[in-house]
Amino acid sequence: RAKNLGRNNYQYFTPEMDVAAHRRISMEYKLRKAIEAQEFELFYQPLVHIQSGEILGAEALIRWRSDGKLISPAEFIPLAEDSGLILPLGDWVLRTAARQAKLWQDAGHDLTMSVNISSRQFSGTDLALTLREVLLHTELRPGKLYFEITESMLMGDVSKAETTLLNLREAGGTFFLDDFGTGYSSLSYLKRLPIDGLKIDRSFVKDITDDPDSRAIVAAIVSMARTLNLRLVAEGVETQAQRSLLASMGPIVLQGYLASRPVPAQEFEELLAKGVLLSPLVG
Ligand code: C2E
Ligand code: MG
Ligand code: MG
Ligand code: MG
């Protein structure tokens, strides 16, 4: 018995797990240090008019520059969420993106700015307060700051989500559901909650030209959006074929490598100078 237990214990604490736990603790430590050392940057990816190719807005996407290397948010956002570090980080993202949007607006570009909001930020109490302060402070044009949230943040206590959204909307926020179609996609909450638009998930866009099911799902989203008066963005558009097909389905704003990858602010200004990133669709 003792032997068995011993063996089980031994199996439980595998060297791999030890390494994983260790890596996690050390990553959290590094993340904390990185916030102090301000090692984060925002990249910006254009949202463009699907027919004209004109830039309509930008999505701010965080990057961590650690010893010269860029670390993807997929690696550290979950950790930042678990540790609560997402709160100071998210605050910084919101303020930085708003300030940048104001600079670009002042330079004559009537842009929207989209910011990703994590669930901890969303359910926290001061987001509406921060938003009011940021809008007052930057004097951003009203209605130009978009919040990207996910379906999972709205599930559970729908009444609470509704109150949060109403408070934020009153403070000047506009809401898009990110990665739409991958979550619970309950249509009843879409009708009930003050949501302004949907971002069709990349996974549907990816297969839209080859897979009839993906095409049917996107067509259903487009028709639902029309009925519920929701704006639409397609994320992850990489080919002209995807663009043409989407354009034939309805009014959808395009985001994806076809127009541009996410780029540093300075490079985004070069895109703004061009103004139009795709040759216009005819017909
Ligand atoms: P997301 O908000 O859905 O952002 C879209 C992701 O798709 C970005 O990855 C973007 O670089 C990528 N993408 C855009 N166009 C294409 C395309 O045509 N093809 C492909 N293959 N990919 C494309 P990124 O920048 O690595 O961000 C990943 C996720 O991390 C974001 O997904 C978002 O959920 C999260 N994230 C990024 N920045 C922030 C932030 O400031 N705060 C929070 N809470 N989350 C963030
Ligand atoms: Mg997003
Ligand atoms: Mg997305
Ligand atoms: Mg996505």
Side-chain angles (χ1 to χ4, degrees):
R1 238 186 191 272
K3 241 184 194 166
N4 269 345
L5 240 180
R7 198 179 299 139
N8 283 343
N9 277 344
Y10 176 75
Q11 280 176 343
Y12 186 72
F13 295 105
T14 60
E16 289 77 20
M17 282 184 68
D18 210 35
V19 167
H22 205 271
R23 181 159 187 273
R24 199 183 155 79
I25 292 165
S26 108
M27 272 286 279
E28 192 179 317
Y29 175 77
K30 278 190 6 204
L31 197 57
R32 216 174 272 281
K33 286 279 163 210
I35 292 174
E36 282 167 27
Q38 303 182 336
E39 290 177 355
F40 296 93
E41 286 171 37
L42 291 185
F43 275 33
Y44 298 92
Q45 186 177 32
L47 279 75
V48 308
H49 192 283
I50 200 159
Q51 256 102 19
S52 70
E54 251 180 295
I55 302 181
L56 303 171
E59 178 177 1
L61 294 157
I62 197 169
R63 298 290 180 267
W64 175 7
R65 200 178 288 279
S66 174
D67 305 321
K69 271 189 322 190
L70 284 180
I71 305 178
S72 127
E75 281 194 49
F76 64 87
I77 291 287
L79 185 61
E81 282 254 7
D82 290 350
S83 60
L85 289 169
I86 194 70
L87 293 174
L89 209 53
D91 202 74
W92 175 83
V93 169
L94 178 57
R95 287 170 199 278
T96 307
R99 204 178 314 121
Q100 186 61 75
K102 174 63 175 166
L103 288 175
W104 287 335
Q105 286 184 352
D106 285 350
H109 306 285
D110 188 24
L111 296 180
T112 60
M113 179 63 78
S114 303
V115 174
N116 293 283
I117 299 295
S118 82
S119 74
R120 284 271 277 254
Q121 268 178 295
F122 185 72
S123 51
T125 47
D126 7 305
L127 190 57
L129 211 71
T130 310
L131 177 60
R132 262 178 231 283
E133 190 203 308
V134 164
L135 290 178
L136 199 72
H137 213 74
T138 55
E139 299 179 309
L140 255 186
R141 266 172 235 164
K144 296 293 179 175
L145 195 57
Y146 291 0
F147 286 147
E148 295 190 2
I149 58 176
T150 55
E151 292 162 86
S152 59
M153 297 182 201
L154 307 177
M155 303 312 291
D157 195 341
V158 183
S159 294
K160 183 161 181 258
E162 188 175 20
T163 308
T164 306
L165 286 170
L166 288 170
N167 280 336
L168 282 162
R169 174 175 270 192
E170 206 177 308
T174 300
F175 296 93
F176 276 73
L177 282 184
D178 210 346
D179 308 327
F180 186 76
T182 60
Y184 303 86
S185 306
S186 154
L187 303 184
S188 60
Y189 76 68
L190 263 186
K191 189 167 165 258
R192 169 162 170 200
L193 296 173
I195 298 289
D196 303 277
L198 310 174
K199 295 188 79 170
I200 304 168
D201 191 63
R202 190 166 77 221
S203 57
F204 304 117
V205 173
K206 186 169 166 284
D207 300 325
I208 196 175
T209 52
D210 312 312
D211 173 26
D213 290 344
S214 292
R215 201 151 55 231
I217 290 169
V218 174
I221 295 175
V222 170
S223 109
M224 181 184 71
R226 187 176 294 128
T227 309
L228 296 176
N229 204 16
L230 295 164
R231 287 182 260 173
L232 278 180
V233 177
E235 55 178 32
V237 181
E238 296 187 354
T239 68
Q240 281 292 351
Q242 290 166 348
R243 177 194 180 195
S244 305
L245 191 50
L246 287 164
S248 74
M249 296 173 115
I252 303 174
V253 168
L254 178 154
Q255 184 177 3
Y257 294 171
L258 180 67
S260 168
R261 288 179 177 262
V263 293
Q266 226 175 356
E267 269 178 63
F268 195 86
E269 282 167 18
E270 290 164 26
L271 301 180
L272 284 175
K274 282 201 265 181
V276 174
L277 302 186
L278 302 169
S279 49
L281 284 181
V282 282

